[in-house]
Amino acid sequence: KWISSGRGVVVGVNSGNNIYYRKGLSAGRPHGSGWAHVPGKLMMIEIWEGQVVGTNPGHAIFKSPVTGVRTPRTTRPSRPSGARRHLGCWRDKPRRAIGGGIRFRGSIAKCEQYARRHRYRVFAIQYGGECFTASNAHQTYRKYGRAGNCKNGKGGGWAQNVYTVGGTGGRGAPKGRRMGRWSSIPGRLTRISRGRAGTWGVNKHGHIFRLINNGRSWRRISGNLVHISVGSQVWGVNRGQHIYKYMGGNRWKRMPGRLVNLDVSDSGHVWGINRGGRIYRWTGRNWQHIGGRAKQVTVGPSGVWVVNRGNNIYYRRGSPSRNKMKQAPT
Protein backbone atom coordinates (compact mmCIF):
# COMPACT_ATOMS: atom_id res chain seq x y z
CA LYS A 1 0.00 0.00 0.00
CA TRP A 2 3.02 2.33 0.40
CA ILE A 3 6.31 2.52 -1.46
CA SER A 4 9.37 4.78 -1.42
CA SER A 5 12.10 5.21 -4.03
CA GLY A 6 15.60 5.81 -2.71
CA ARG A 7 19.14 5.69 -4.03
CA GLY A 8 19.67 2.09 -5.11
CA VAL A 9 16.85 0.76 -2.95
CA VAL A 10 13.04 0.75 -2.96
CA VAL A 11 11.15 -0.05 0.25
CA GLY A 12 7.47 -0.52 0.94
CA VAL A 13 4.74 -1.81 3.22
CA ASN A 14 1.71 -3.88 2.25
CA SER A 15 -1.91 -3.78 3.42
CA GLY A 16 -0.94 -5.87 6.46
CA ASN A 17 1.74 -3.30 7.44
CA ASN A 18 4.47 -5.82 6.63
CA ILE A 19 7.76 -4.34 5.41
CA TYR A 20 9.55 -5.28 2.17
CA TYR A 21 12.51 -4.15 0.12
CA ARG A 22 13.14 -4.59 -3.58
CA LYS A 23 15.95 -7.00 -4.38
CA GLY A 24 18.39 -6.79 -7.27
CA LEU A 25 18.01 -3.15 -8.32
CA SER A 26 20.68 -2.08 -10.81
CA ALA A 27 21.14 0.11 -13.87
CA GLY A 28 20.57 -2.94 -16.06
CA ARG A 29 17.59 -4.10 -14.02
CA PRO A 30 15.79 -0.97 -12.74
CA HIS A 31 12.76 -3.02 -11.69
CA GLY A 32 14.79 -5.39 -9.48
CA SER A 33 14.17 -9.09 -9.07
CA GLY A 34 11.49 -9.50 -6.39
CA TRP A 35 10.53 -8.49 -2.88
CA ALA A 36 12.18 -9.58 0.36
CA HIS A 37 10.17 -9.56 3.57
CA VAL A 38 11.50 -7.74 6.61
CA PRO A 39 10.26 -8.49 10.17
CA GLY A 40 8.28 -5.75 11.86
CA LYS A 41 5.24 -3.58 11.17
CA LEU A 42 5.05 -0.07 9.71
CA MET A 43 2.07 1.87 8.42
CA MET A 44 4.16 3.94 6.00
CA ILE A 45 7.85 4.24 5.18
CA GLU A 46 10.17 6.64 3.36
CA ILE A 47 13.83 6.45 2.44
CA TRP A 48 16.19 9.35 1.83
CA GLU A 49 19.95 9.12 1.35
CA GLY A 50 21.38 7.62 4.53
CA GLN A 51 18.18 7.28 6.53
CA VAL A 52 14.79 5.59 6.54
CA VAL A 53 11.85 6.95 8.52
CA GLY A 54 8.41 5.51 9.12
CA THR A 55 5.41 5.33 11.41
CA ASN A 56 3.85 2.19 12.84
CA PRO A 57 0.11 1.45 13.27
CA GLY A 58 0.23 3.14 16.69
CA HIS A 59 1.67 6.30 15.05
CA ALA A 60 5.03 5.83 16.81
CA ILE A 61 7.94 7.11 14.73
CA PHE A 62 11.11 5.20 13.84
CA LYS A 63 14.30 6.00 11.98
CA SER A 64 17.26 3.97 10.84
CA PRO A 65 20.60 4.85 9.26
CA VAL A 66 21.33 3.06 6.00
CA THR A 67 24.71 1.42 5.55
CA GLY A 68 25.60 2.05 1.92
CA VAL A 69 22.70 0.80 -0.17
CA ARG A 70 21.12 -1.47 2.39
CA THR A 71 17.64 -2.33 3.38
CA PRO A 72 15.37 -2.61 6.43
CA ARG A 73 15.87 -5.14 9.09
CA THR A 74 13.10 -4.43 11.59
CA THR A 75 11.06 -1.64 13.16
CA ARG A 76 12.93 -1.80 16.45
CA PRO A 77 16.46 -1.50 17.77
CA SER A 78 18.51 -4.69 17.68
CA ARG A 79 18.64 -6.82 20.81
CA PRO A 80 21.42 -6.02 23.27
CA SER A 81 24.22 -8.51 23.65
CA GLY A 82 25.60 -10.03 26.83
CA ALA A 83 24.03 -11.80 29.80
CA ARG A 84 20.35 -11.89 30.65
CA ARG A 85 19.25 -8.67 32.37
CA HIS A 86 16.30 -8.16 34.72
CA LEU A 87 14.00 -5.29 33.67
CA GLY A 88 11.81 -5.31 36.77
CA CYS A 89 8.36 -6.39 37.92
CA TRP A 90 5.48 -5.24 35.73
CA ARG A 91 1.69 -5.46 35.92
CA ASP A 92 -0.40 -7.52 33.54
CA LYS A 93 -4.13 -7.72 32.75
CA PRO A 94 -6.45 -10.09 30.84
CA ARG A 95 -5.60 -8.14 27.71
CA ARG A 96 -1.97 -9.16 27.95
CA ALA A 97 0.88 -6.68 27.90
CA ILE A 98 2.89 -9.29 25.95
CA GLY A 99 0.93 -10.84 23.12
CA GLY A 100 0.84 -14.49 22.10
CA GLY A 101 -0.56 -15.93 25.30
CA ILE A 102 1.14 -18.29 27.76
CA ARG A 103 3.82 -20.15 25.81
CA PHE A 104 4.23 -22.85 28.49
CA ARG A 105 5.00 -23.28 32.19
CA GLY A 106 8.67 -23.70 33.03
CA SER A 107 11.84 -22.18 34.39
CA ILE A 108 13.36 -18.80 33.64
CA ALA A 109 16.09 -20.54 31.62
CA LYS A 110 13.60 -22.49 29.50
CA CYS A 111 11.59 -19.36 28.71
CA GLU A 112 14.78 -17.55 27.75
CA GLN A 113 15.78 -20.45 25.47
CA TYR A 114 12.39 -20.31 23.78
CA ALA A 115 12.69 -16.54 23.21
CA ARG A 116 16.25 -16.92 21.91
CA ARG A 117 15.20 -19.69 19.51
CA HIS A 118 12.55 -17.35 18.06
CA ARG A 119 15.05 -14.48 18.10
CA TYR A 120 12.94 -12.30 20.41
CA ARG A 121 14.52 -9.64 22.61
CA VAL A 122 12.51 -9.84 25.83
CA PHE A 123 10.63 -12.49 27.83
CA ALA A 124 8.65 -12.58 31.07
CA ILE A 125 7.77 -15.06 33.82
CA GLN A 126 4.43 -14.75 35.57
CA TYR A 127 2.62 -16.61 38.36
CA GLY A 128 5.58 -18.81 39.26
CA GLY A 129 6.45 -20.12 35.81
CA GLU A 130 4.16 -18.93 32.99
CA CYS A 131 6.35 -17.95 30.03
CA PHE A 132 5.43 -14.91 27.92
CA THR A 133 7.39 -13.59 24.94
CA ALA A 134 6.77 -12.06 21.51
CA SER A 135 8.57 -10.20 18.75
CA ASN A 136 7.38 -6.85 20.14
CA ALA A 137 7.53 -7.73 23.85
CA HIS A 138 10.28 -5.16 24.41
CA GLN A 139 7.84 -2.46 23.29
CA THR A 140 4.73 -3.59 25.19
CA TYR A 141 5.76 -5.10 28.56
CA ARG A 142 5.45 -1.73 30.35
CA LYS A 143 1.87 -1.21 29.17
CA TYR A 144 0.25 -1.37 32.63
CA GLY A 145 3.05 0.07 34.75
CA ARG A 146 5.17 -1.40 37.52
CA ALA A 147 4.01 -4.03 40.02
CA GLY A 148 5.24 -4.88 43.51
CA ASN A 149 4.13 -8.47 44.04
CA CYS A 150 6.69 -10.49 42.05
CA LYS A 151 8.48 -13.25 44.00
CA ASN A 152 11.75 -15.09 43.43
CA GLY A 153 12.12 -13.68 39.93
CA LYS A 154 9.05 -15.60 38.74
CA GLY A 155 6.33 -13.00 38.88
CA GLY A 156 3.06 -13.26 40.77
CA GLY A 157 -0.66 -12.84 40.30
CA TRP A 158 -1.07 -10.50 37.31
CA ALA A 159 2.57 -9.53 37.73
CA GLN A 160 5.59 -10.58 35.71
CA ASN A 161 9.34 -10.41 36.02
CA VAL A 162 10.67 -9.23 32.66
CA TYR A 163 14.13 -10.05 31.30
CA THR A 164 16.24 -9.35 28.24
CA VAL A 165 17.40 -12.38 26.30
CA GLY A 166 21.11 -12.94 26.73
CA GLY A 167 23.39 -13.41 23.73
CA THR A 168 23.74 -11.56 20.44
CA GLY A 169 21.71 -11.18 17.30
CA GLY A 170 17.97 -10.80 17.03
CA ARG A 171 14.97 -11.67 14.92
CA GLY A 172 15.61 -10.75 11.34
CA ALA A 173 19.38 -10.88 11.77
CA PRO A 174 21.06 -9.18 8.83
CA LYS A 175 21.75 -11.15 5.71
CA GLY A 176 23.25 -9.17 2.83
CA ARG A 177 21.55 -5.84 2.40
CA ARG A 178 20.05 -4.32 5.52
CA MET A 179 19.63 -1.14 7.46
CA GLY A 180 21.40 -0.20 10.64
CA ARG A 181 19.82 -0.17 14.04
CA TRP A 182 16.42 1.44 14.43
CA SER A 183 15.69 4.06 17.04
CA SER A 184 12.56 5.94 17.96
CA ILE A 185 11.83 9.59 17.31
CA PRO A 186 9.74 11.37 19.96
CA GLY A 187 6.13 12.18 19.15
CA ARG A 188 3.24 10.60 17.25
CA LEU A 189 2.58 11.13 13.54
CA THR A 190 0.38 9.67 10.82
CA ARG A 191 2.72 10.81 8.04
CA ILE A 192 6.44 11.52 8.02
CA SER A 193 8.74 12.50 5.17
CA ARG A 194 12.45 13.23 4.91
CA GLY A 195 14.39 14.98 2.16
CA ARG A 196 16.84 17.75 1.45
CA ALA A 197 14.49 20.22 3.14
CA GLY A 198 14.53 18.24 6.40
CA THR A 199 12.18 15.89 8.24
CA TRP A 200 8.53 16.91 8.41
CA GLY A 201 5.34 15.22 9.54
CA VAL A 202 1.64 15.58 10.27
CA ASN A 203 -0.33 14.11 13.15
CA LYS A 204 -3.89 12.76 13.31
CA HIS A 205 -5.22 16.28 13.91
CA GLY A 206 -3.55 17.59 10.74
CA HIS A 207 -0.98 19.63 12.68
CA ILE A 208 2.31 20.11 10.84
CA PHE A 209 5.72 19.65 12.46
CA ARG A 210 9.37 19.94 11.51
CA LEU A 211 12.10 17.97 13.31
CA ILE A 212 14.68 20.22 14.97
CA ASN A 213 17.31 20.19 17.71
CA ASN A 214 19.32 17.35 16.12
CA GLY A 215 16.26 15.13 15.93
CA ARG A 216 15.24 15.53 19.57
CA SER A 217 12.12 17.69 19.24
CA TRP A 218 9.48 19.01 16.84
CA ARG A 219 8.58 22.58 15.91
CA ARG A 220 4.96 23.33 15.05
CA ILE A 221 4.47 24.89 11.61
CA SER A 222 1.34 26.83 10.73
CA GLY A 223 -1.32 25.17 8.57
CA ASN A 224 -3.26 21.92 8.50
CA LEU A 225 -2.48 18.96 6.23
CA VAL A 226 -3.25 15.25 6.02
CA HIS A 227 -0.33 14.40 3.72
CA ILE A 228 3.16 15.86 3.41
CA SER A 229 6.20 15.17 1.23
CA VAL A 230 9.73 16.54 1.47
CA GLY A 231 12.41 16.72 -1.19
CA SER A 232 14.15 19.89 -2.29
CA GLN A 233 10.84 21.54 -1.35
CA VAL A 234 7.96 20.75 1.00
CA TRP A 235 4.52 20.09 -0.46
CA GLY A 236 1.33 18.90 1.18
CA VAL A 237 -2.35 18.12 0.76
CA ASN A 238 -5.16 19.09 3.14
CA ARG A 239 -8.47 17.39 3.90
CA GLY A 240 -10.12 19.22 1.04
CA GLN A 241 -7.48 17.77 -1.33
CA HIS A 242 -6.07 21.26 -1.91
CA ILE A 243 -2.35 21.34 -2.66
CA TYR A 244 0.13 23.56 -0.85
CA LYS A 245 3.82 24.38 -1.24
CA TYR A 246 5.84 25.69 1.70
CA MET A 247 7.41 29.09 1.01
CA GLY A 248 9.26 29.51 4.32
CA GLY A 249 8.49 31.70 7.30
CA ASN A 250 5.37 29.71 8.22
CA ARG A 251 3.84 30.59 4.82
CA TRP A 252 2.15 28.17 2.42
CA LYS A 253 1.22 28.83 -1.20
CA ARG A 254 -1.92 27.27 -2.63
CA MET A 255 -1.08 25.39 -5.84
CA PRO A 256 -3.51 24.57 -8.67
CA GLY A 257 -5.42 21.30 -8.76
CA ARG A 258 -6.53 18.74 -6.21
CA LEU A 259 -4.74 15.58 -5.10
CA VAL A 260 -5.04 12.98 -2.34
CA ASN A 261 -1.28 12.36 -2.10
CA LEU A 262 1.93 13.45 -3.77
CA ASP A 263 5.69 12.96 -3.63
CA VAL A 264 8.60 15.38 -4.08
CA SER A 265 12.15 14.44 -5.03
CA ASP A 266 15.41 16.18 -4.22
CA SER A 267 15.60 17.05 -7.92
CA GLY A 268 12.37 19.03 -7.67
CA HIS A 269 10.12 16.51 -9.45
CA VAL A 270 6.59 16.40 -8.05
CA TRP A 271 4.12 13.62 -8.83
CA GLY A 272 0.65 13.13 -7.42
CA ILE A 273 -2.56 11.10 -7.41
CA ASN A 274 -6.06 12.53 -7.45
CA ARG A 275 -9.23 11.15 -5.91
CA GLY A 276 -10.03 9.18 -9.05
CA GLY A 277 -6.59 7.52 -9.05
CA ARG A 278 -5.27 9.55 -12.00
CA ILE A 279 -1.52 10.14 -12.02
CA TYR A 280 -0.10 13.61 -12.56
CA ARG A 281 3.31 15.22 -12.91
CA TRP A 282 4.00 18.88 -12.07
CA THR A 283 5.65 20.66 -15.04
CA GLY A 284 6.40 23.85 -13.13
CA ARG A 285 3.27 25.56 -14.42
CA ASN A 286 0.53 22.95 -14.40
CA TRP A 287 -0.25 19.27 -13.86
CA GLN A 288 0.41 16.90 -16.75
CA HIS A 289 -1.77 13.80 -16.80
CA ILE A 290 0.17 10.53 -17.04
CA GLY A 291 -1.49 7.32 -18.18
CA GLY A 292 -2.54 4.68 -15.68
CA ARG A 293 -4.26 4.66 -12.30
CA ALA A 294 -2.76 4.45 -8.81
CA LYS A 295 -3.41 5.15 -5.15
CA GLN A 296 0.14 6.14 -4.15
CA VAL A 297 3.25 7.42 -5.94
CA THR A 298 6.91 7.89 -5.08
CA VAL A 299 9.63 9.62 -7.10
CA GLY A 300 13.33 9.37 -6.29
CA PRO A 301 16.75 8.20 -7.47
CA SER A 302 15.39 4.72 -8.30
CA GLY A 303 12.70 6.19 -10.55
CA VAL A 304 8.97 6.65 -10.25
CA TRP A 305 6.99 3.84 -8.64
CA VAL A 306 3.23 3.61 -8.07
CA VAL A 307 0.85 1.27 -6.27
CA ASN A 308 -2.62 0.80 -7.78
CA ARG A 309 -5.89 -0.11 -6.05
CA GLY A 310 -5.20 -3.78 -6.66
CA ASN A 311 -1.84 -3.36 -4.85
CA ASN A 312 0.02 -4.02 -8.10
CA ILE A 313 3.27 -2.10 -8.45
CA TYR A 314 4.47 -0.24 -11.55
CA TYR A 315 7.65 1.71 -12.21
CA ARG A 316 9.38 3.92 -14.71
CA ARG A 317 13.02 4.91 -14.73
CA GLY A 318 13.36 8.64 -14.17
CA SER A 319 10.73 11.34 -14.27
CA PRO A 320 10.40 12.36 -17.96
CA SER A 321 6.85 11.78 -19.16
CA ARG A 322 7.90 9.94 -22.34
CA ASN A 323 8.82 6.82 -20.37
CA LYS A 324 5.90 4.41 -19.93
CA MET A 325 4.97 2.66 -16.70
CA LYS A 326 5.83 -1.04 -16.54
CA GLN A 327 4.58 -3.55 -13.99
CA ALA A 328 7.28 -4.65 -11.59
CA PRO A 329 7.79 -8.43 -11.62
CA THR A 330 6.65 -10.10 -8.40
Side-chain angles (χ1 to χ4, degrees), residues 204-225:
K204 65 181 180 180
H205 304 294
H207 300 156
I208 307 164
F209 298 90
R210 182 177 185 179
L211 194 63
I212 60 170
N213 196 24
N214 291 322
R216 293 191 295 268
S217 60
W218 294 92
R219 174 181 293 160
R220 175 84 179 270
I221 305 294
S222 66
N224 195 282
L225 299 172

PDB file of all heavy atoms in Angstrom, residues 204-225:
ATOM      1  N   LYS A 204      -2.508  13.139  13.618  1.00  0.00           N
ATOM      2  CA  LYS A 204      -3.886  12.762  13.306  1.00  0.00           C
ATOM      3  C   LYS A 204      -4.830  13.963  13.309  1.00  0.00           C
ATOM      4  O   LYS A 204      -5.939  13.874  12.775  1.00  0.00           O
ATOM      5  CB  LYS A 204      -4.383  11.702  14.284  1.00  0.00           C
ATOM      6  CG  LYS A 204      -4.484  12.158  15.726  1.00  0.00           C
ATOM      7  CD  LYS A 204      -4.961  11.026  16.616  1.00  0.00           C
ATOM      8  CE  LYS A 204      -5.083  11.465  18.078  1.00  0.00           C
ATOM      9  NZ  LYS A 204      -5.559  10.345  18.934  1.00  0.00           N
ATOM     10  N   HIS A 205      -4.404  15.071  13.897  1.00  0.00           N
ATOM     11  CA  HIS A 205      -5.217  16.282  13.907  1.00  0.00           C
ATOM     12  C   HIS A 205      -4.904  17.195  12.717  1.00  0.00           C
ATOM     13  O   HIS A 205      -5.514  18.250  12.589  1.00  0.00           O
ATOM     14  CB  HIS A 205      -4.990  17.056  15.205  1.00  0.00           C
ATOM     15  CG  HIS A 205      -5.252  16.257  16.438  1.00  0.00           C
ATOM     16  ND1 HIS A 205      -6.508  15.803  16.788  1.00  0.00           N
ATOM     17  CD2 HIS A 205      -4.406  15.802  17.404  1.00  0.00           C
ATOM     18  CE1 HIS A 205      -6.433  15.116  17.915  1.00  0.00           C
ATOM     19  NE2 HIS A 205      -5.176  15.100  18.304  1.00  0.00           N
ATOM     20  N   GLY A 206      -3.939  16.777  11.880  1.00  0.00           N
ATOM     21  CA  GLY A 206      -3.546  17.595  10.738  1.00  0.00           C
ATOM     22  C   GLY A 206      -2.507  18.643  11.065  1.00  0.00           C
ATOM     23  O   GLY A 206      -2.129  19.441  10.199  1.00  0.00           O
ATOM     24  N   HIS A 207      -2.003  18.661  12.315  1.00  0.00           N
ATOM     25  CA  HIS A 207      -0.975  19.627  12.683  1.00  0.00           C
ATOM     26  C   HIS A 207       0.344  19.270  12.006  1.00  0.00           C
ATOM     27  O   HIS A 207       0.689  18.087  11.873  1.00  0.00           O
ATOM     28  CB  HIS A 207      -0.789  19.663  14.205  1.00  0.00           C
ATOM     29  CG  HIS A 207      -2.038  20.041  14.934  1.00  0.00           C
ATOM     30  ND1 HIS A 207      -2.279  19.683  16.246  1.00  0.00           N
ATOM     31  CD2 HIS A 207      -3.130  20.760  14.543  1.00  0.00           C
ATOM     32  CE1 HIS A 207      -3.447  20.160  16.621  1.00  0.00           C
ATOM     33  NE2 HIS A 207      -3.991  20.815  15.615  1.00  0.00           N
ATOM     34  N   ILE A 208       1.083  20.283  11.607  1.00  0.00           N
ATOM     35  CA  ILE A 208       2.313  20.107  10.838  1.00  0.00           C
ATOM     36  C   ILE A 208       3.512  20.373  11.745  1.00  0.00           C
ATOM     37  O   ILE A 208       3.521  21.336  12.512  1.00  0.00           O
ATOM     38  CB  ILE A 208       2.344  21.084   9.647  1.00  0.00           C
ATOM     39  CG1 ILE A 208       1.066  20.958   8.812  1.00  0.00           C
ATOM     40  CG2 ILE A 208       3.581  20.843   8.788  1.00  0.00           C
ATOM     41  CD1 ILE A 208       0.844  22.128   7.874  1.00  0.00           C
ATOM     42  N   PHE A 209       4.536  19.515  11.622  1.00  0.00           N
ATOM     43  CA  PHE A 209       5.722  19.650  12.461  1.00  0.00           C
ATOM     44  C   PHE A 209       6.987  19.464  11.632  1.00  0.00           C
ATOM     45  O   PHE A 209       6.994  18.742  10.634  1.00  0.00           O
ATOM     46  CB  PHE A 209       5.711  18.606  13.579  1.00  0.00           C
ATOM     47  CG  PHE A 209       4.554  18.741  14.522  1.00  0.00           C
ATOM     48  CD1 PHE A 209       3.365  18.073  14.288  1.00  0.00           C
ATOM     49  CD2 PHE A 209       4.651  19.543  15.648  1.00  0.00           C
ATOM     50  CE1 PHE A 209       2.287  18.189  15.143  1.00  0.00           C
ATOM     51  CE2 PHE A 209       3.583  19.678  16.521  1.00  0.00           C
ATOM     52  CZ  PHE A 209       2.396  18.995  16.275  1.00  0.00           C
ATOM     53  N   ARG A 210       8.051  20.117  12.103  1.00  0.00           N
ATOM     54  CA  ARG A 210       9.375  19.937  11.510  1.00  0.00           C
ATOM     55  C   ARG A 210      10.340  19.503  12.612  1.00  0.00           C
ATOM     56  O   ARG A 210      10.349  20.088  13.700  1.00  0.00           O
ATOM     57  CB  ARG A 210       9.879  21.225  10.866  1.00  0.00           C
ATOM     58  CG  ARG A 210      11.234  21.067  10.197  1.00  0.00           C
ATOM     59  CD  ARG A 210      11.683  22.327   9.503  1.00  0.00           C
ATOM     60  NE  ARG A 210      12.925  22.101   8.778  1.00  0.00           N
ATOM     61  CZ  ARG A 210      13.549  23.013   8.050  1.00  0.00           C
ATOM     62  NH1 ARG A 210      13.032  24.237   7.956  1.00  0.00           N
ATOM     63  NH2 ARG A 210      14.660  22.717   7.429  1.00  0.00           N
ATOM     64  N   LEU A 211      11.149  18.490  12.327  1.00  0.00           N
ATOM     65  CA  LEU A 211      12.097  17.969  13.308  1.00  0.00           C
ATOM     66  C   LEU A 211      13.277  18.932  13.450  1.00  0.00           C
ATOM     67  O   LEU A 211      13.888  19.341  12.460  1.00  0.00           O
ATOM     68  CB  LEU A 211      12.592  16.590  12.873  1.00  0.00           C
ATOM     69  CG  LEU A 211      13.326  15.749  13.913  1.00  0.00           C
ATOM     70  CD1 LEU A 211      12.414  15.402  15.085  1.00  0.00           C
ATOM     71  CD2 LEU A 211      13.852  14.455  13.264  1.00  0.00           C
ATOM     72  N   ILE A 212      13.598  19.277  14.702  1.00  0.00           N
ATOM     73  CA  ILE A 212      14.680  20.218  14.973  1.00  0.00           C
ATOM     74  C   ILE A 212      15.540  19.682  16.114  1.00  0.00           C
ATOM     75  O   ILE A 212      15.335  18.576  16.596  1.00  0.00           O
ATOM     76  CB  ILE A 212      14.132  21.616  15.344  1.00  0.00           C
ATOM     77  CG1 ILE A 212      13.255  21.526  16.603  1.00  0.00           C
ATOM     78  CG2 ILE A 212      13.361  22.226  14.189  1.00  0.00           C
ATOM     79  CD1 ILE A 212      12.872  22.883  17.176  1.00  0.00           C
ATOM     80  N   ASN A 213      16.496  20.494  16.527  1.00  0.00           N
ATOM     81  CA  ASN A 213      17.312  20.190  17.705  1.00  0.00           C
ATOM     82  C   ASN A 213      17.999  18.835  17.576  1.00  0.00           C
ATOM     83  O   ASN A 213      17.968  18.009  18.482  1.00  0.00           O
ATOM     84  CB  ASN A 213      16.441  20.251  18.975  1.00  0.00           C
ATOM     85  CG  ASN A 213      17.268  20.330  20.244  1.00  0.00           C
ATOM     86  OD1 ASN A 213      18.412  20.777  20.211  1.00  0.00           O
ATOM     87  ND2 ASN A 213      16.692  19.890  21.344  1.00  0.00           N
ATOM     88  N   ASN A 214      18.604  18.604  16.397  1.00  0.00           N
ATOM     89  CA  ASN A 214      19.317  17.348  16.125  1.00  0.00           C
ATOM     90  C   ASN A 214      18.424  16.126  16.301  1.00  0.00           C
ATOM     91  O   ASN A 214      18.860  15.080  16.793  1.00  0.00           O
ATOM     92  CB  ASN A 214      20.556  17.223  17.017  1.00  0.00           C
ATOM     93  CG  ASN A 214      21.630  18.229  16.662  1.00  0.00           C
ATOM     94  OD1 ASN A 214      21.839  18.521  15.483  1.00  0.00           O
ATOM     95  ND2 ASN A 214      22.306  18.769  17.653  1.00  0.00           N
ATOM     96  N   GLY A 215      17.169  16.270  15.899  1.00  0.00           N
ATOM     97  CA  GLY A 215      16.265  15.129  15.933  1.00  0.00           C
ATOM     98  C   GLY A 215      15.640  14.850  17.276  1.00  0.00           C
ATOM     99  O   GLY A 215      15.032  13.802  17.458  1.00  0.00           O
ATOM    100  N   ARG A 216      15.740  15.782  18.225  1.00  0.00           N
ATOM    101  CA  ARG A 216      15.235  15.527  19.574  1.00  0.00           C
ATOM    102  C   ARG A 216      13.872  16.158  19.857  1.00  0.00           C
ATOM    103  O   ARG A 216      13.251  15.847  20.868  1.00  0.00           O
ATOM    104  CB  ARG A 216      16.256  16.005  20.609  1.00  0.00           C
ATOM    105  CG  ARG A 216      17.548  15.201  20.612  1.00  0.00           C
ATOM    106  CD  ARG A 216      18.390  15.535  21.825  1.00  0.00           C
ATOM    107  NE  ARG A 216      18.852  16.911  21.804  1.00  0.00           N
ATOM    108  CZ  ARG A 216      20.007  17.301  21.278  1.00  0.00           C
ATOM    109  NH1 ARG A 216      20.803  16.411  20.722  1.00  0.00           N
ATOM    110  NH2 ARG A 216      20.373  18.568  21.313  1.00  0.00           N
ATOM    111  N   SER A 217      13.409  17.049  18.996  1.00  0.00           N
ATOM    112  CA  SER A 217      12.118  17.694  19.243  1.00  0.00           C
ATOM    113  C   SER A 217      11.511  18.186  17.934  1.00  0.00           C
ATOM    114  O   SER A 217      12.175  18.237  16.895  1.00  0.00           O
ATOM    115  CB  SER A 217      12.285  18.861  20.224  1.00  0.00           C
ATOM    116  OG  SER A 217      13.180  19.828  19.708  1.00  0.00           O
ATOM    117  N   TRP A 218      10.229  18.564  18.016  1.00  0.00           N
ATOM    118  CA  TRP A 218       9.481  19.013  16.840  1.00  0.00           C
ATOM    119  C   TRP A 218       9.064  20.471  17.017  1.00  0.00           C
ATOM    120  O   TRP A 218       8.701  20.889  18.104  1.00  0.00           O
ATOM    121  CB  TRP A 218       8.229  18.164  16.644  1.00  0.00           C
ATOM    122  CG  TRP A 218       8.513  16.733  16.302  1.00  0.00           C
ATOM    123  CD1 TRP A 218       8.635  15.682  17.180  1.00  0.00           C
ATOM    124  CD2 TRP A 218       8.707  16.193  15.004  1.00  0.00           C
ATOM    125  NE1 TRP A 218       8.888  14.528  16.502  1.00  0.00           N
ATOM    126  CE2 TRP A 218       8.938  14.798  15.158  1.00  0.00           C
ATOM    127  CE3 TRP A 218       8.701  16.729  13.723  1.00  0.00           C
ATOM    128  CZ2 TRP A 218       9.156  13.949  14.083  1.00  0.00           C
ATOM    129  CZ3 TRP A 218       8.925  15.889  12.637  1.00  0.00           C
ATOM    130  CH2 TRP A 218       9.155  14.528  12.825  1.00  0.00           C
ATOM    131  N   ARG A 219       9.075  21.213  15.920  1.00  0.00           N
ATOM    132  CA  ARG A 219       8.582  22.582  15.914  1.00  0.00           C
ATOM    133  C   ARG A 219       7.285  22.633  15.127  1.00  0.00           C
ATOM    134  O   ARG A 219       7.208  22.143  14.000  1.00  0.00           O
ATOM    135  CB  ARG A 219       9.602  23.525  15.294  1.00  0.00           C
ATOM    136  CG  ARG A 219       9.084  24.963  15.115  1.00  0.00           C
ATOM    137  CD  ARG A 219      10.138  25.835  14.476  1.00  0.00           C
ATOM    138  NE  ARG A 219      11.276  26.018  15.373  1.00  0.00           N
ATOM    139  CZ  ARG A 219      12.484  26.403  14.975  1.00  0.00           C
ATOM    140  NH1 ARG A 219      12.715  26.624  13.692  1.00  0.00           N
ATOM    141  NH2 ARG A 219      13.454  26.547  15.846  1.00  0.00           N
ATOM    142  N   ARG A 220       6.251  23.204  15.716  1.00  0.00           N
ATOM    143  CA  ARG A 220       4.955  23.325  15.050  1.00  0.00           C
ATOM    144  C   ARG A 220       5.042  24.375  13.934  1.00  0.00           C
ATOM    145  O   ARG A 220       5.555  25.471  14.135  1.00  0.00           O
ATOM    146  CB  ARG A 220       3.884  23.705  16.071  1.00  0.00           C
ATOM    147  CG  ARG A 220       2.514  23.973  15.488  1.00  0.00           C
ATOM    148  CD  ARG A 220       1.731  22.698  15.288  1.00  0.00           C
ATOM    149  NE  ARG A 220       0.413  23.007  14.736  1.00  0.00           N
ATOM    150  CZ  ARG A 220      -0.676  23.257  15.465  1.00  0.00           C
ATOM    151  NH1 ARG A 220      -0.588  23.216  16.798  1.00  0.00           N
ATOM    152  NH2 ARG A 220      -1.827  23.518  14.895  1.00  0.00           N
ATOM    153  N   ILE A 221       4.528  23.997  12.762  1.00  0.00           N
ATOM    154  CA  ILE A 221       4.467  24.885  11.611  1.00  0.00           C
ATOM    155  C   ILE A 221       3.000  25.219  11.366  1.00  0.00           C
ATOM    156  O   ILE A 221       2.127  24.362  11.518  1.00  0.00           O
ATOM    157  CB  ILE A 221       5.092  24.228  10.360  1.00  0.00           C
ATOM    158  CG1 ILE A 221       6.527  23.770  10.649  1.00  0.00           C
ATOM    159  CG2 ILE A 221       5.046  25.175   9.167  1.00  0.00           C
ATOM    160  CD1 ILE A 221       7.514  24.867  10.928  1.00  0.00           C
ATOM    161  N   SER A 222       2.718  26.431  10.959  1.00  0.00           N
ATOM    162  CA  SER A 222       1.337  26.828  10.726  1.00  0.00           C
ATOM    163  C   SER A 222       0.717  26.002   9.607  1.00  0.00           C
ATOM    164  O   SER A 222       1.410  25.472   8.738  1.00  0.00           O
ATOM    165  CB  SER A 222       1.263  28.318  10.368  1.00  0.00           C
ATOM    166  OG  SER A 222       1.904  28.538   9.114  1.00  0.00           O
ATOM    167  N   GLY A 223      -0.608  25.893   9.620  1.00  0.00           N
ATOM    168  CA  GLY A 223      -1.315  25.167   8.571  1.00  0.00           C
ATOM    169  C   GLY A 223      -1.907  23.864   9.073  1.00  0.00           C
ATOM    170  O   GLY A 223      -1.729  23.465  10.230  1.00  0.00           O
ATOM    171  N   ASN A 224      -2.612  23.191   8.179  1.00  0.00           N
ATOM    172  CA  ASN A 224      -3.258  21.924   8.502  1.00  0.00           C
ATOM    173  C   ASN A 224      -3.253  21.039   7.268  1.00  0.00           C
ATOM    174  O   ASN A 224      -3.799  21.423   6.222  1.00  0.00           O
ATOM    175  CB  ASN A 224      -4.694  22.175   8.979  1.00  0.00           C
ATOM    176  CG  ASN A 224      -5.282  20.967   9.669  1.00  0.00           C
ATOM    177  OD1 ASN A 224      -5.704  20.018   9.029  1.00  0.00           O
ATOM    178  ND2 ASN A 224      -5.309  21.008  10.998  1.00  0.00           N
ATOM    179  N   LEU A 225      -2.624  19.875   7.368  1.00  0.00           N
ATOM    180  CA  LEU A 225      -2.482  18.957   6.235  1.00  0.00           C
ATOM    181  C   LEU A 225      -2.765  17.528   6.681  1.00  0.00           C
ATOM    182  O   LEU A 225      -2.631  17.198   7.857  1.00  0.00           O
ATOM    183  CB  LEU A 225      -1.062  19.016   5.655  1.00  0.00           C
ATOM    184  CG  LEU A 225      -0.565  20.347   5.100  1.00  0.00           C
ATOM    185  CD1 LEU A 225       0.925  20.245   4.758  1.00  0.00           C
ATOM    186  CD2 LEU A 225      -1.370  20.776   3.881  1.00  0.00           C
TER     187      LEU A 225
END
